[in-house]
Amino acid sequence: MPKPMAPLVVEGLARATDLVKLWEAADPEAALAGVAGDVGAIAVGGHVRADGAFLERFPKLQLVANFGVGYDAIDAAWAEAHGVVVTNTPGVLDEEVADTALGLVLATVRQLPAAERHLRAGKWIDGAFPLSHTLRGRTMGILGLGRIGKAVAKRAEAFGLTVIYHGRRQQQDVSYRYCPTLVGLAEACDILVVITPGGAETRNLVDAEVLKALGPTGILINVARGSVVDEDALVEALRSKTILGAGLDVFAEEPKVPPALLDLDHVVLLPHVGSASHHTRDAMGQLVVDNILCWQADRPPLTPVAETPWQGRYKAM
Ligand code: NDP
């Protein structure tokens, strides 16, 4: 384990495996060099960049267990090419992240954080907080109608919103209208919720053209990855009122947030807390532990990612 993870993961793995806590070493680089030849599995969170250069330091590597459903920090193509299984934590966080997304929608559209700032600053005495925007009669466009996207859609329906979506293909088992292009989705919706994976394939998918299509009454919500939205184009669209506002849980260079965003009042900013409840982080942590315990017992991993499906056995050491 290169960097500290949740106590449930550290303790669960320390009990059952020969766990190396690299971050505890006086010289982590020397400690890594000392154990790299023996390591069969690595446990990582989003804060560890597991690219090919890092992974190839472990000649006996069979498994990389990621804490999180998004594994854009791991080079899954390298893992696939080298017979290494990558696991993530899908499913157990869908409802939590969807709750966060709807929280951001409400906070942004109804300007709830700004209203609270108004009260705390003692300004209520001088006058009511200005009227906000509304969800009534609005359409939500979901970019990435996957596990979390569907949980967002379910909630949006309960709020009376019309739901439409865009992905690389139309899904036959959903009743929401499919928009074959992202610009078409942005044009047709009032609130654009981004919930695709990160990585090279989705980099800057939401660009200046998409924001222009969203338009001056449109709101952007990003709970996916900062890389999916062109951050410079977003700042410009917010400054020039090309769009009405934005609610963001993720940023291109976390934990750095562009000062230009901090200066704007019509954005709501969260420090990547989509899945961050005790309940859900425990469920994610347990899945990391269970994937590694399966590997240790030479059983199939519970949740391999699409690039590294279970092939019946782990790579020979
Ligand atoms: P899924 O794989 O279930 O869904 C991803 C969706 O994105 C699919 O519907 C897919 O549709 C769509 N998609 C993928 N690539 C593209 C593309 N190039 N263009 C358009 N659509 C695309 O993933 P989850 O719902 O489980 O998770 C989604 C992401 O949410 C994670 O990868 C992670 O980055 C982010 N996340 C953020 C969290 C936070 O704390 N803010 C917490 C958890 C996850 P199709 O295949 O039809 O294109």
Side-chain angles (χ1 to χ4, degrees), residues 69-70 93-94 97 143-149 166-169 171 195-198 201-202 205 223-225 249-250 272-275:
V69 69
L93 43 64
D94 300 348
V97 182
L143 171 58
L145 191 69
R147 288 173 293 249
I148 301 171
H166 170 73
R168 290 165 299 182
R169 59 190 167 78
Q171 300 183 35
I195 186 63
T196 61
E201 244 199 79
T202 56
L205 215 52
V223 282
R225 286 289 182 266
D249 185 43
V250 287
H272 201 148
V273 292
S275 67

PDB file of all heavy atoms in Angstrom, residues 69-70 93-94 97 143-149 166-169 171 195-198 201-202 205 223-225 249-250 272-275, ligand 1:
ATOM      1  N   VAL A  69     -14.743   3.838  -7.803  1.00  0.00           N
ATOM      2  CA  VAL A  69     -15.213   3.246  -9.061  1.00  0.00           C
ATOM      3  C   VAL A  69     -14.428   3.816 -10.239  1.00  0.00           C
ATOM      4  O   VAL A  69     -14.168   3.131 -11.233  1.00  0.00           O
ATOM      5  CB  VAL A  69     -16.747   3.425  -9.229  1.00  0.00           C
ATOM      6  CG1 VAL A  69     -17.128   4.874  -9.460  1.00  0.00           C
ATOM      7  CG2 VAL A  69     -17.270   2.560 -10.362  1.00  0.00           C
ATOM      8  N   GLY A  70     -14.010   5.088 -10.131  1.00  0.00           N
ATOM      9  CA  GLY A  70     -13.220   5.727 -11.186  1.00  0.00           C
ATOM     10  C   GLY A  70     -11.762   5.317 -11.033  1.00  0.00           C
ATOM     11  O   GLY A  70     -11.181   5.467  -9.957  1.00  0.00           O
ATOM     12  N   LEU A  93     -21.493   2.734  -4.248  1.00  0.00           N
ATOM     13  CA  LEU A  93     -21.498   4.188  -3.994  1.00  0.00           C
ATOM     14  C   LEU A  93     -22.519   4.944  -4.841  1.00  0.00           C
ATOM     15  O   LEU A  93     -22.649   6.158  -4.743  1.00  0.00           O
ATOM     16  CB  LEU A  93     -20.093   4.769  -4.220  1.00  0.00           C
ATOM     17  CG  LEU A  93     -19.304   4.282  -5.444  1.00  0.00           C
ATOM     18  CD1 LEU A  93     -19.947   4.642  -6.743  1.00  0.00           C
ATOM     19  CD2 LEU A  93     -17.872   4.767  -5.382  1.00  0.00           C
ATOM     20  N   ASP A  94     -23.286   4.219  -5.654  1.00  0.00           N
ATOM     21  CA  ASP A  94     -24.192   4.891  -6.601  1.00  0.00           C
ATOM     22  C   ASP A  94     -25.165   5.861  -5.920  1.00  0.00           C
ATOM     23  O   ASP A  94     -25.344   7.005  -6.356  1.00  0.00           O
ATOM     24  CB  ASP A  94     -25.023   3.864  -7.392  1.00  0.00           C
ATOM     25  CG  ASP A  94     -24.163   2.909  -8.189  1.00  0.00           C
ATOM     26  OD1 ASP A  94     -22.949   3.162  -8.314  1.00  0.00           O
ATOM     27  OD2 ASP A  94     -24.709   1.908  -8.682  1.00  0.00           O
ATOM     28  N   VAL A  97     -23.443   9.045  -4.355  1.00  0.00           N
ATOM     29  CA  VAL A  97     -22.990  10.036  -5.335  1.00  0.00           C
ATOM     30  C   VAL A  97     -24.200  10.714  -5.985  1.00  0.00           C
ATOM     31  O   VAL A  97     -24.190  11.920  -6.248  1.00  0.00           O
ATOM     32  CB  VAL A  97     -22.065   9.385  -6.390  1.00  0.00           C
ATOM     33  CG1 VAL A  97     -21.566  10.428  -7.381  1.00  0.00           C
ATOM     34  CG2 VAL A  97     -20.888   8.696  -5.718  1.00  0.00           C
ATOM     35  N   LEU A 143     -25.116  13.292 -18.949  1.00  0.00           N
ATOM     36  CA  LEU A 143     -24.007  12.824 -19.782  1.00  0.00           C
ATOM     37  C   LEU A 143     -23.367  11.648 -19.056  1.00  0.00           C
ATOM     38  O   LEU A 143     -22.656  11.839 -18.071  1.00  0.00           O
ATOM     39  CB  LEU A 143     -22.992  13.957 -19.990  1.00  0.00           C
ATOM     40  CG  LEU A 143     -21.673  13.565 -20.659  1.00  0.00           C
ATOM     41  CD1 LEU A 143     -21.901  12.934 -22.025  1.00  0.00           C
ATOM     42  CD2 LEU A 143     -20.758  14.785 -20.784  1.00  0.00           C
ATOM     43  N   GLY A 144     -23.685  10.421 -19.501  1.00  0.00           N
ATOM     44  CA  GLY A 144     -23.175   9.219 -18.839  1.00  0.00           C
ATOM     45  C   GLY A 144     -24.250   8.552 -18.001  1.00  0.00           C
ATOM     46  O   GLY A 144     -24.237   8.648 -16.778  1.00  0.00           O
ATOM     47  N   LEU A 145     -25.188   7.885 -18.687  1.00  0.00           N
ATOM     48  CA  LEU A 145     -26.291   7.238 -17.956  1.00  0.00           C
ATOM     49  C   LEU A 145     -25.870   5.810 -17.568  1.00  0.00           C
ATOM     50  O   LEU A 145     -26.409   4.830 -18.057  1.00  0.00           O
ATOM     51  CB  LEU A 145     -27.551   7.224 -18.834  1.00  0.00           C
ATOM     52  CG  LEU A 145     -28.855   6.831 -18.132  1.00  0.00           C
ATOM     53  CD1 LEU A 145     -29.286   7.909 -17.142  1.00  0.00           C
ATOM     54  CD2 LEU A 145     -29.964   6.557 -19.145  1.00  0.00           C
ATOM     55  N   GLY A 146     -24.883   5.738 -16.672  1.00  0.00           N
ATOM     56  CA  GLY A 146     -24.403   4.445 -16.174  1.00  0.00           C
ATOM     57  C   GLY A 146     -25.053   4.151 -14.831  1.00  0.00           C
ATOM     58  O   GLY A 146     -26.186   4.569 -14.575  1.00  0.00           O
ATOM     59  N   ARG A 147     -24.309   3.448 -13.984  1.00  0.00           N
ATOM     60  CA  ARG A 147     -24.859   3.085 -12.662  1.00  0.00           C
ATOM     61  C   ARG A 147     -25.250   4.338 -11.885  1.00  0.00           C
ATOM     62  O   ARG A 147     -26.383   4.455 -11.393  1.00  0.00           O
ATOM     63  CB  ARG A 147     -23.813   2.288 -11.866  1.00  0.00           C
ATOM     64  CG  ARG A 147     -23.591   0.879 -12.359  1.00  0.00           C
ATOM     65  CD  ARG A 147     -22.422   0.247 -11.627  1.00  0.00           C
ATOM     66  NE  ARG A 147     -21.188   0.920 -11.973  1.00  0.00           N
ATOM     67  CZ  ARG A 147     -20.203   0.374 -12.702  1.00  0.00           C
ATOM     68  NH1 ARG A 147     -20.300  -0.867 -13.101  1.00  0.00           N
ATOM     69  NH2 ARG A 147     -19.127   1.056 -13.007  1.00  0.00           N
ATOM     70  N   ILE A 148     -24.328   5.301 -11.764  1.00  0.00           N
ATOM     71  CA  ILE A 148     -24.635   6.512 -10.981  1.00  0.00           C
ATOM     72  C   ILE A 148     -25.616   7.391 -11.745  1.00  0.00           C
ATOM     73  O   ILE A 148     -26.563   7.936 -11.166  1.00  0.00           O
ATOM     74  CB  ILE A 148     -23.341   7.294 -10.654  1.00  0.00           C
ATOM     75  CG1 ILE A 148     -22.385   6.411  -9.854  1.00  0.00           C
ATOM     76  CG2 ILE A 148     -23.667   8.565  -9.863  1.00  0.00           C
ATOM     77  CD1 ILE A 148     -20.988   6.992  -9.669  1.00  0.00           C
ATOM     78  N   GLY A 149     -25.421   7.522 -13.053  1.00  0.00           N
ATOM     79  CA  GLY A 149     -26.318   8.339 -13.871  1.00  0.00           C
ATOM     80  C   GLY A 149     -27.773   7.902 -13.718  1.00  0.00           C
ATOM     81  O   GLY A 149     -28.685   8.734 -13.626  1.00  0.00           O
ATOM     82  N   HIS A 166     -27.159  11.421 -22.917  1.00  0.00           N
ATOM     83  CA  HIS A 166     -26.234  11.130 -24.019  1.00  0.00           C
ATOM     84  C   HIS A 166     -25.146  10.196 -23.517  1.00  0.00           C
ATOM     85  O   HIS A 166     -24.680  10.311 -22.383  1.00  0.00           O
ATOM     86  CB  HIS A 166     -25.587  12.414 -24.554  1.00  0.00           C
ATOM     87  CG  HIS A 166     -24.470  12.141 -25.516  1.00  0.00           C
ATOM     88  ND1 HIS A 166     -24.690  11.677 -26.794  1.00  0.00           N
ATOM     89  CD2 HIS A 166     -23.120  12.218 -25.365  1.00  0.00           C
ATOM     90  CE1 HIS A 166     -23.524  11.504 -27.397  1.00  0.00           C
ATOM     91  NE2 HIS A 166     -22.556  11.828 -26.557  1.00  0.00           N
ATOM     92  N   GLY A 167     -24.767   9.256 -24.348  1.00  0.00           N
ATOM     93  CA  GLY A 167     -23.629   8.360 -24.107  1.00  0.00           C
ATOM     94  C   GLY A 167     -23.175   7.952 -25.489  1.00  0.00           C
ATOM     95  O   GLY A 167     -23.689   8.443 -26.493  1.00  0.00           O
ATOM     96  N   ARG A 168     -22.235   7.002 -25.546  1.00  0.00           N
ATOM     97  CA  ARG A 168     -21.742   6.611 -26.869  1.00  0.00           C
ATOM     98  C   ARG A 168     -22.769   5.781 -27.631  1.00  0.00           C
ATOM     99  O   ARG A 168     -22.673   5.611 -28.834  1.00  0.00           O
ATOM    100  CB  ARG A 168     -20.428   5.840 -26.723  1.00  0.00           C
ATOM    101  CG  ARG A 168     -19.288   6.739 -26.286  1.00  0.00           C
ATOM    102  CD  ARG A 168     -18.128   5.933 -25.798  1.00  0.00           C
ATOM    103  NE  ARG A 168     -18.489   5.128 -24.642  1.00  0.00           N
ATOM    104  CZ  ARG A 168     -17.662   4.343 -23.972  1.00  0.00           C
ATOM    105  NH1 ARG A 168     -16.399   4.242 -24.370  1.00  0.00           N
ATOM    106  NH2 ARG A 168     -18.051   3.656 -22.927  1.00  0.00           N
ATOM    107  N   ARG A 169     -23.743   5.258 -26.912  1.00  0.00           N
ATOM    108  CA  ARG A 169     -24.776   4.472 -27.604  1.00  0.00           C
ATOM    109  C   ARG A 169     -26.101   4.620 -26.873  1.00  0.00           C
ATOM    110  O   ARG A 169     -26.127   4.920 -25.676  1.00  0.00           O
ATOM    111  CB  ARG A 169     -24.358   3.003 -27.666  1.00  0.00           C
ATOM    112  CG  ARG A 169     -24.160   2.464 -26.285  1.00  0.00           C
ATOM    113  CD  ARG A 169     -23.524   1.114 -26.180  1.00  0.00           C
ATOM    114  NE  ARG A 169     -23.146   0.920 -24.773  1.00  0.00           N
ATOM    115  CZ  ARG A 169     -23.991   0.597 -23.799  1.00  0.00           C
ATOM    116  NH1 ARG A 169     -25.276   0.401 -24.055  1.00  0.00           N
ATOM    117  NH2 ARG A 169     -23.582   0.476 -22.552  1.00  0.00           N
ATOM    118  N   GLN A 171     -29.402   3.273 -25.061  1.00  0.00           N
ATOM    119  CA  GLN A 171     -29.683   2.099 -24.229  1.00  0.00           C
ATOM    120  C   GLN A 171     -31.130   1.673 -24.461  1.00  0.00           C
ATOM    121  O   GLN A 171     -32.041   2.501 -24.383  1.00  0.00           O
ATOM    122  CB  GLN A 171     -29.445   2.433 -22.758  1.00  0.00           C
ATOM    123  CG  GLN A 171     -28.006   2.870 -22.502  1.00  0.00           C
ATOM    124  CD  GLN A 171     -27.724   3.126 -21.028  1.00  0.00           C
ATOM    125  OE1 GLN A 171     -28.246   2.459 -20.150  1.00  0.00           O
ATOM    126  NE2 GLN A 171     -26.865   4.101 -20.770  1.00  0.00           N
ATOM    127  N   ILE A 195     -21.534  12.724 -15.550  1.00  0.00           N
ATOM    128  CA  ILE A 195     -21.202  11.584 -14.683  1.00  0.00           C
ATOM    129  C   ILE A 195     -20.663  10.401 -15.514  1.00  0.00           C
ATOM    130  O   ILE A 195     -21.108   9.270 -15.405  1.00  0.00           O
ATOM    131  CB  ILE A 195     -22.377  11.231 -13.724  1.00  0.00           C
ATOM    132  CG1 ILE A 195     -22.004  10.149 -12.702  1.00  0.00           C
ATOM    133  CG2 ILE A 195     -23.669  10.958 -14.445  1.00  0.00           C
ATOM    134  CD1 ILE A 195     -20.928  10.506 -11.748  1.00  0.00           C
ATOM    135  N   THR A 196     -19.670  10.741 -16.359  1.00  0.00           N
ATOM    136  CA  THR A 196     -18.937   9.726 -17.134  1.00  0.00           C
ATOM    137  C   THR A 196     -17.656   9.359 -16.373  1.00  0.00           C
ATOM    138  O   THR A 196     -17.287  10.049 -15.424  1.00  0.00           O
ATOM    139  CB  THR A 196     -18.475  10.305 -18.483  1.00  0.00           C
ATOM    140  OG1 THR A 196     -17.608  11.410 -18.210  1.00  0.00           O
ATOM    141  CG2 THR A 196     -19.636  10.752 -19.342  1.00  0.00           C
ATOM    142  N   PRO A 197     -16.934   8.331 -16.821  1.00  0.00           N
ATOM    143  CA  PRO A 197     -15.578   8.140 -16.284  1.00  0.00           C
ATOM    144  C   PRO A 197     -14.658   9.277 -16.741  1.00  0.00           C
ATOM    145  O   PRO A 197     -14.956   9.972 -17.717  1.00  0.00           O
ATOM    146  CB  PRO A 197     -15.135   6.819 -16.917  1.00  0.00           C
ATOM    147  CG  PRO A 197     -16.381   6.148 -17.376  1.00  0.00           C
ATOM    148  CD  PRO A 197     -17.331   7.252 -17.732  1.00  0.00           C
ATOM    149  N   GLY A 198     -13.506   9.429 -16.048  1.00  0.00           N
ATOM    150  CA  GLY A 198     -12.477  10.366 -16.502  1.00  0.00           C
ATOM    151  C   GLY A 198     -11.551   9.655 -17.485  1.00  0.00           C
ATOM    152  O   GLY A 198     -11.934   8.641 -18.073  1.00  0.00           O
ATOM    153  N   GLU A 201     -10.308   9.336 -22.904  1.00  0.00           N
ATOM    154  CA  GLU A 201     -11.459   9.284 -23.823  1.00  0.00           C
ATOM    155  C   GLU A 201     -12.495  10.373 -23.588  1.00  0.00           C
ATOM    156  O   GLU A 201     -13.232  10.743 -24.498  1.00  0.00           O
ATOM    157  CB  GLU A 201     -12.147   7.927 -23.675  1.00  0.00           C
ATOM    158  CG  GLU A 201     -12.069   7.101 -24.939  1.00  0.00           C
ATOM    159  CD  GLU A 201     -13.103   6.016 -24.956  1.00  0.00           C
ATOM    160  OE1 GLU A 201     -14.274   6.328 -25.257  1.00  0.00           O
ATOM    161  OE2 GLU A 201     -12.743   4.878 -24.639  1.00  0.00           O
ATOM    162  N   THR A 202     -12.564  10.853 -22.356  1.00  0.00           N
ATOM    163  CA  THR A 202     -13.585  11.852 -22.042  1.00  0.00           C
ATOM    164  C   THR A 202     -12.985  13.240 -21.766  1.00  0.00           C
ATOM    165  O   THR A 202     -13.706  14.149 -21.347  1.00  0.00           O
ATOM    166  CB  THR A 202     -14.411  11.416 -20.805  1.00  0.00           C
ATOM    167  OG1 THR A 202     -13.505  11.183 -19.729  1.00  0.00           O
ATOM    168  CG2 THR A 202     -15.229  10.175 -21.083  1.00  0.00           C
ATOM    169  N   LEU A 205     -14.566  16.769 -22.833  1.00  0.00           N
ATOM    170  CA  LEU A 205     -15.796  16.474 -23.587  1.00  0.00           C
ATOM    171  C   LEU A 205     -16.746  17.672 -23.521  1.00  0.00           C
ATOM    172  O   LEU A 205     -17.358  18.062 -24.516  1.00  0.00           O
ATOM    173  CB  LEU A 205     -16.457  15.248 -22.933  1.00  0.00           C
ATOM    174  CG  LEU A 205     -17.180  14.230 -23.773  1.00  0.00           C
ATOM    175  CD1 LEU A 205     -16.306  13.740 -24.915  1.00  0.00           C
ATOM    176  CD2 LEU A 205     -17.589  13.039 -22.894  1.00  0.00           C
ATOM    177  N   VAL A 223     -20.051  15.895 -11.387  1.00  0.00           N
ATOM    178  CA  VAL A 223     -19.674  14.995 -10.282  1.00  0.00           C
ATOM    179  C   VAL A 223     -18.836  13.837 -10.826  1.00  0.00           C
ATOM    180  O   VAL A 223     -18.672  12.821 -10.162  1.00  0.00           O
ATOM    181  CB  VAL A 223     -20.916  14.431  -9.540  1.00  0.00           C
ATOM    182  CG1 VAL A 223     -21.504  15.459  -8.594  1.00  0.00           C
ATOM    183  CG2 VAL A 223     -21.976  13.920 -10.501  1.00  0.00           C
ATOM    184  N   ALA A 224     -18.310  13.994 -12.053  1.00  0.00           N
ATOM    185  CA  ALA A 224     -17.557  12.907 -12.691  1.00  0.00           C
ATOM    186  C   ALA A 224     -16.069  13.026 -12.366  1.00  0.00           C
ATOM    187  O   ALA A 224     -15.595  12.522 -11.346  1.00  0.00           O
ATOM    188  CB  ALA A 224     -17.797  12.937 -14.198  1.00  0.00           C
ATOM    189  N   ARG A 225     -15.343  13.723 -13.217  1.00  0.00           N
ATOM    190  CA  ARG A 225     -13.936  14.046 -13.016  1.00  0.00           C
ATOM    191  C   ARG A 225     -13.719  15.438 -13.598  1.00  0.00           C
ATOM    192  O   ARG A 225     -14.325  15.787 -14.619  1.00  0.00           O
ATOM    193  CB  ARG A 225     -13.018  13.053 -13.752  1.00  0.00           C
ATOM    194  CG  ARG A 225     -12.912  11.688 -13.111  1.00  0.00           C
ATOM    195  CD  ARG A 225     -12.109  11.743 -11.801  1.00  0.00           C
ATOM    196  NE  ARG A 225     -11.963  10.429 -11.182  1.00  0.00           N
ATOM    197  CZ  ARG A 225     -12.777   9.937 -10.243  1.00  0.00           C
ATOM    198  NH1 ARG A 225     -13.809  10.654  -9.830  1.00  0.00           N
ATOM    199  NH2 ARG A 225     -12.548   8.760  -9.705  1.00  0.00           N
ATOM    200  N   ASP A 249     -18.168  19.201  -8.042  1.00  0.00           N
ATOM    201  CA  ASP A 249     -17.586  18.398  -6.960  1.00  0.00           C
ATOM    202  C   ASP A 249     -16.160  17.999  -7.303  1.00  0.00           C
ATOM    203  O   ASP A 249     -15.438  17.484  -6.448  1.00  0.00           O
ATOM    204  CB  ASP A 249     -18.441  17.130  -6.754  1.00  0.00           C
ATOM    205  CG  ASP A 249     -17.976  16.282  -5.570  1.00  0.00           C
ATOM    206  OD1 ASP A 249     -17.666  16.882  -4.522  1.00  0.00           O
ATOM    207  OD2 ASP A 249     -17.919  15.048  -5.699  1.00  0.00           O
ATOM    208  N   VAL A 250     -15.773  18.209  -8.563  1.00  0.00           N
ATOM    209  CA  VAL A 250     -14.472  17.720  -9.050  1.00  0.00           C
ATOM    210  C   VAL A 250     -13.789  18.791  -9.896  1.00  0.00           C
ATOM    211  O   VAL A 250     -14.458  19.613 -10.540  1.00  0.00           O
ATOM    212  CB  VAL A 250     -14.680  16.427  -9.869  1.00  0.00           C
ATOM    213  CG1 VAL A 250     -15.025  15.252  -8.976  1.00  0.00           C
ATOM    214  CG2 VAL A 250     -15.758  16.622 -10.933  1.00  0.00           C
ATOM    215  N   HIS A 272     -14.740  17.370  -3.687  1.00  0.00           N
ATOM    216  CA  HIS A 272     -14.808  15.965  -4.111  1.00  0.00           C
ATOM    217  C   HIS A 272     -15.356  15.065  -2.988  1.00  0.00           C
ATOM    218  O   HIS A 272     -14.670  14.156  -2.509  1.00  0.00           O
ATOM    219  CB  HIS A 272     -13.426  15.474  -4.568  1.00  0.00           C
ATOM    220  CG  HIS A 272     -13.506  14.257  -5.452  1.00  0.00           C
ATOM    221  ND1 HIS A 272     -12.612  13.989  -6.454  1.00  0.00           N
ATOM    222  CD2 HIS A 272     -14.395  13.224  -5.484  1.00  0.00           C
ATOM    223  CE1 HIS A 272     -12.936  12.854  -7.059  1.00  0.00           C
ATOM    224  NE2 HIS A 272     -14.023  12.367  -6.477  1.00  0.00           N
ATOM    225  N   VAL A 273     -16.590  15.328  -2.612  1.00  0.00           N
ATOM    226  CA  VAL A 273     -17.209  14.581  -1.504  1.00  0.00           C
ATOM    227  C   VAL A 273     -18.341  13.664  -1.985  1.00  0.00           C
ATOM    228  O   VAL A 273     -19.162  13.219  -1.186  1.00  0.00           O
ATOM    229  CB  VAL A 273     -17.745  15.531  -0.413  1.00  0.00           C
ATOM    230  CG1 VAL A 273     -16.600  16.243   0.296  1.00  0.00           C
ATOM    231  CG2 VAL A 273     -18.743  16.563  -0.990  1.00  0.00           C
ATOM    232  N   GLY A 274     -18.367  13.385  -3.294  1.00  0.00           N
ATOM    233  CA  GLY A 274     -19.474  12.598  -3.872  1.00  0.00           C
ATOM    234  C   GLY A 274     -19.842  11.356  -3.081  1.00  0.00           C
ATOM    235  O   GLY A 274     -21.020  11.122  -2.798  1.00  0.00           O
ATOM    236  N   SER A 275     -18.857  10.563  -2.715  1.00  0.00           N
ATOM    237  CA  SER A 275     -19.141   9.298  -2.008  1.00  0.00           C
ATOM    238  C   SER A 275     -18.753   9.370  -0.536  1.00  0.00           C
ATOM    239  O   SER A 275     -18.754   8.351   0.157  1.00  0.00           O
ATOM    240  CB  SER A 275     -18.349   8.167  -2.670  1.00  0.00           C
ATOM    241  OG  SER A 275     -16.950   8.370  -2.469  1.00  0.00           O
TER     242      SER A 275
HETATM  243  P1  NDP B   1     -20.547   3.463 -15.406  1.00  0.00           P
HETATM  244  O1  NDP B   1     -19.461   2.794 -16.161  1.00  0.00           O
HETATM  245  O2  NDP B   1     -21.661   2.651 -14.851  1.00  0.00           O
HETATM  246  O3  NDP B   1     -21.195   4.620 -16.303  1.00  0.00           O
HETATM  247  C1  NDP B   1     -20.435   5.468 -17.097  1.00  0.00           C
HETATM  248  C2  NDP B   1     -21.326   6.051 -18.182  1.00  0.00           C
HETATM  249  O4  NDP B   1     -20.550   6.966 -18.958  1.00  0.00           O
HETATM  250  C3  NDP B   1     -21.900   5.008 -19.125  1.00  0.00           C
HETATM  251  O5  NDP B   1     -23.272   5.205 -19.218  1.00  0.00           O
HETATM  252  C4  NDP B   1     -21.209   5.295 -20.463  1.00  0.00           C
HETATM  253  O6  NDP B   1     -22.160   5.120 -21.488  1.00  0.00           O
HETATM  254  C5  NDP B   1     -20.814   6.761 -20.338  1.00  0.00           C
HETATM  255  N1  NDP B   1     -19.605   7.063 -21.101  1.00  0.00           N
HETATM  256  C6  NDP B   1     -18.406   6.468 -21.008  1.00  0.00           C
HETATM  257  N2  NDP B   1     -17.536   7.010 -21.877  1.00  0.00           N
HETATM  258  C7  NDP B   1     -18.210   7.958 -22.547  1.00  0.00           C
HETATM  259  C8  NDP B   1     -17.874   8.858 -23.590  1.00  0.00           C
HETATM  260  N3  NDP B   1     -16.641   8.882 -24.130  1.00  0.00           N
HETATM  261  N4  NDP B   1     -18.820   9.719 -24.047  1.00  0.00           N
HETATM  262  C9  NDP B   1     -20.061   9.696 -23.519  1.00  0.00           C
HETATM  263  N5  NDP B   1     -20.447   8.860 -22.531  1.00  0.00           N
HETATM  264  C10 NDP B   1     -19.531   8.004 -22.055  1.00  0.00           C
HETATM  265  O7  NDP B   1     -19.796   4.258 -14.242  1.00  0.00           O
HETATM  266  P2  NDP B   1     -20.376   4.771 -12.831  1.00  0.00           P
HETATM  267  O8  NDP B   1     -21.721   5.351 -13.045  1.00  0.00           O
HETATM  268  O9  NDP B   1     -20.190   3.726 -11.803  1.00  0.00           O
HETATM  269  O10 NDP B   1     -19.309   5.933 -12.505  1.00  0.00           O
HETATM  270  C11 NDP B   1     -19.106   7.002 -13.401  1.00  0.00           C
HETATM  271  C12 NDP B   1     -17.972   7.888 -12.957  1.00  0.00           C
HETATM  272  O11 NDP B   1     -18.376   8.704 -11.882  1.00  0.00           O
HETATM  273  C13 NDP B   1     -16.719   7.197 -12.420  1.00  0.00           C
HETATM  274  O12 NDP B   1     -15.905   6.661 -13.450  1.00  0.00           O
HETATM  275  C14 NDP B   1     -16.039   8.324 -11.667  1.00  0.00           C
HETATM  276  O13 NDP B   1     -15.162   9.029 -12.518  1.00  0.00           O
HETATM  277  C15 NDP B   1     -17.211   9.231 -11.265  1.00  0.00           C
HETATM  278  N6  NDP B   1     -17.404   9.210  -9.804  1.00  0.00           N
HETATM  279  C16 NDP B   1     -17.282  10.374  -9.088  1.00  0.00           C
HETATM  280  C17 NDP B   1     -17.449  10.370  -7.717  1.00  0.00           C
HETATM  281  C18 NDP B   1     -17.332  11.617  -6.904  1.00  0.00           C
HETATM  282  O14 NDP B   1     -16.996  11.535  -5.736  1.00  0.00           O
HETATM  283  N7  NDP B   1     -17.615  12.783  -7.449  1.00  0.00           N
HETATM  284  C19 NDP B   1     -17.710   9.126  -6.975  1.00  0.00           C
HETATM  285  C20 NDP B   1     -17.871   7.980  -7.825  1.00  0.00           C
HETATM  286  C21 NDP B   1     -17.704   8.035  -9.183  1.00  0.00           C
HETATM  287  P3  NDP B   1     -21.766   4.520 -22.929  1.00  0.00           P
HETATM  288  O15 NDP B   1     -20.935   3.290 -22.659  1.00  0.00           O
HETATM  289  O16 NDP B   1     -23.082   4.243 -23.573  1.00  0.00           O
HETATM  290  O17 NDP B   1     -21.007   5.609 -23.603  1.00  0.00           O
END
